[in-house]
Amino acid sequence: MSGTDITMKFEQEFAEWIGVKYALGFNNGTASLLAAMYACGVRKGDEIICPSVTYWASCLQAMTLGATVVFANVKDDTLCIDPEDIEAKITPRTKAIVCVHYLAHPCDMDPIMAIAKKHNLKIIEDLSHAQGGLYKGRRLGTIGDVAGISMMSGKSFAVGEGGMLITNDRSIYEHAFALGHYERFNDANVTCEDLKPSTGLPLGGYKFRMHQMSSAVGRVQLKYYDERCAEIRKAMNYFWDLLEGTPGIRPHRVDESDGSNMAGFYSPHGIYVAEELGGLSVTRFCEAVRAEGVPDCTPGCNAALHTHNIFQTADIYGAGKPTRIANSPEDIRKFDANLGPAEKSGFTIYGVPWLKKFIPSQIEEYANAFKKVAANYKELLDGDKGNPSRIGGWHFFKHSQNN
Ligand SMILES: *Cc1c(COP(=O)(O)O)cnc(C)c1O
């Protein structure tokens, strides 16, 4: 099981399916994103810009490369990186922008690509939540320079543990396999002059290849995946259609009329508007929905990363200063000054059931639970103890087994 023959078949089929020249299998998504950063030229002293509200593996690996993570806010309706805040965070040291299609919602790629072009920056798409999704008719993951993808069990495209890097750029592909795929890093595969002298051993001292059992699962998953996503979208869109116009409740979804979609609606959430429910806290709101029998309704999602110690004072490699700025002249406080909106995002989000099958009677029951709570919010105001000071976790929310 330790070769690459099955993995290479999976890579070829995945590349054809998503529409890119090169796909490279990894042992996990975290490694694929580290390789994407390296292949985009992220090095000591450089900066990458990443949304603060995401899973840590969208950005934390950049510190291994000696780079600095600069966080941007997310928009409160899409939960994706705010293009306006990207522009505000660019410095002469910026190398790449990580675009996370968060909870399957496509980032607004047109303005982001324009910014990247203007400032000569690389775009890394983190496709871990949105494999197969579309932005204005284009497959997510194929719009930027490169994409890193998780395929661990909780994700929409699940193979157990595994990851994939996709790109149309030969140089990015070669630098990605040079870092942690020694078995491919040989004279026959390499065209980049800077890589030629070092073939044979992995540049990063990493071993990143995919387990072939996962590759085999991936090949089967690929056959059914678009069909499965279409059924999930039918179910989730029906759920949100039923809740249309309910006070306090907004969907987190795209308008599909422009050719965008949310693939398999990974870990679906809703947007909460407390003002429409007399200021009822999202914590109390979720408690009441759960009491109606909806197990997945918990407040928040990923906590704002910049508030964690690892991005504040932690000195991981003994540089004598925080690792995040080990090779930077800047003060962390300067980077994090305007991230209030990211810190508050947990207060306006709640989980909803991940509906994998279109079963109208079940979906209606779930939607009715949300409607009942919204209609009776006044009765909940009395016992409302408010929200805790921080909502959201460092890892991830529970994935329901029920649906
Ligand atoms: C899961 C995830 C990753 C990391 O992938 P692993 O396969 O768990 O290493 C990276 N980015 C995001 C947004 C994720 O959700």
Side-chain angles (χ1 to χ4, degrees):
M1 296 308 295
S2 195
T4 52
D5 54 327
I6 300 165
T7 299
M8 284 182 179
K9 285 185 183 148
F10 179 37
E11 289 167 353
Q12 200 184 342
E13 288 160 3
F14 194 88
E16 274 166 27
W17 168 69
I18 207 158
V20 291
K21 280 193 200 146
Y22 309 107
L24 183 61
F26 280 79
N27 52 351
N28 54 50
T30 304
S32 74
L33 284 154
L34 172 60
M37 291 169 199
Y38 179 75
C40 283
V42 176
R43 299 289 184 272
K44 189 173 170 178
D46 291 339
E47 292 171 6
I48 65 159
I49 298 173
C50 177
S52 178
V53 178
T54 181
Y55 184 69
W56 58 263
S58 297
C59 60
L60 181 47
Q61 308 89 306
M63 302 207 299
T64 315
L65 299 170
T68 299
V69 182
V70 176
F71 289 107
N73 278 309
V74 296
K75 290 182 70 93
D76 53 16
D77 51 351
T78 66
L79 307 178
C80 291
I81 193 164
D82 182 349
E84 279 179 31
D85 204 31
I86 293 176
E87 282 244 71
K89 299 290 163 68
I90 292 172
T91 76
R93 289 182 292 275
T94 311
K95 259 286 160 51
I97 303 163
V98 180
C99 298
V100 187
H101 305 295
Y102 194 64
L103 304 178
H105 197 296
C107 293
D108 194 1
M109 294 308 290
D110 284 342
I112 294 172
M113 293 310 292
I115 292 166
K117 198 167 170 211
K118 182 170 151 201
H119 297 273
N120 194 25
L121 304 174
K122 298 286 188 200
I123 295 289
I124 299 169
E125 291 180 72
D126 183 344
L127 194 61
S128 302
H129 294 186
Q131 305 90 341
L134 298 175
Y135 173 73
K136 300 184 182 174
R138 302 169 69 189
R139 282 276 197 201
L140 298 175
T142 68
I143 301 169
D145 296 277
V146 59
I149 313 170
S150 172
M151 298 176 168
M152 53 76 68
S153 340
K155 304 291 157 64
S156 273
F157 195 105
V159 307
E161 288 288 347
M164 194 73 89
L165 175 146
I166 56 172
T167 184
N168 285 312
D169 184 317
R170 180 79 205 177
S171 170
I172 287 179
Y173 174 62
E174 289 184 15
H175 284 81
F177 72 61
L179 193 72
H181 292 73
Y182 67 91
E183 72 283 353
R184 313 198 193 204
F185 188 33
N186 55 47
D187 295 343
N189 279 342
V190 170
T191 63
C192 294
E193 290 303 327
D194 61 314
L195 293 175
K196 282 182 178 169
S198 304
T199 55
L201 298 181
L203 295 184
Y206 299 116
K207 185 183 168 192
F208 280 163
R209 70 170 171 256
M210 193 168 191
H211 193 304
Q212 298 233 88
M213 188 69 93
S214 294
S215 311
V217 174
R219 294 186 70 199
V220 179
Q221 175 73 287
L222 201 49
K223 284 189 201 159
Y224 304 102
Y225 184 67
D226 280 328
E227 209 178 292
R228 287 171 178 164
C229 286
E231 171 127 8
I232 293 171
R233 284 200 299 280
K234 190 173 171 191
M236 290 306 307
N237 279 320
Y238 182 58
F239 172 78
W240 285 124
D241 288 345
L242 290 171
L243 287 170
E244 198 65 52
T246 308
I249 294 176
R250 302 274 189 289
H252 178 241
R253 64 169 168 174
V254 284
D255 179 355
E256 294 191 8
S257 64
D258 73 350
S260 300
N261 79 38
M262 305 221 327
F265 259 92
Y266 172 69
S267 190
H269 279 64
I271 309 294
Y272 185 64
V273 190
E275 306 82 75
E276 292 180 3
L277 299 178
L280 184 71
S281 73
V282 70
T283 304
R284 184 79 186 98
F285 172 83
C286 289
E287 265 169 27
V289 175
R290 288 199 302 277
E292 294 298 317
V294 182
D296 303 293
C297 189
T298 48
C301 51
N302 291 107
L305 286 173
H306 68 275
T307 62
H308 192 284
N309 186 56
I310 208 164
F311 293 109
Q312 291 295 323
T313 60
D315 175 7
I316 306 163
Y317 301 114
K321 62 198 275 212
T323 301
R324 183 166 162 214
I325 49 162
N327 304 300
S328 167
E330 297 294 352
D331 186 321
I332 286 171
R333 283 168 298 189
K334 188 196 135 194
F335 290 133
D336 294 351
N338 80 331
L339 293 173
E343 287 162 31
K344 289 199 191 78
S345 71
F347 298 96
T348 56
I349 315 171
Y350 52 90
V352 301
W354 193 0
L355 306 160
K356 304 258 174 90
K357 298 276 177 213
F358 182 64
I359 305 170
S361 58
Q362 185 199 38
I363 299 170
E364 284 154 20
E365 266 185 53
Y366 281 136
N368 285 338
F370 282 88
K371 279 188 195 168
K372 182 176 168 188
V373 171
N376 295 287
Y377 75 89
K378 284 188 183 141
E379 289 179 40
L380 297 165
L381 287 170
D382 255 358
D384 186 2
K385 297 195 198 71
N387 292 313
S389 60
R390 199 190 80 207
I391 296 184
W394 299 119
H395 302 152
F396 221 67
F397 6 103
K398 200 177 54 178
H399 294 293
S400 172
Q401 306 300 310
N402 302 339
N403 303 303

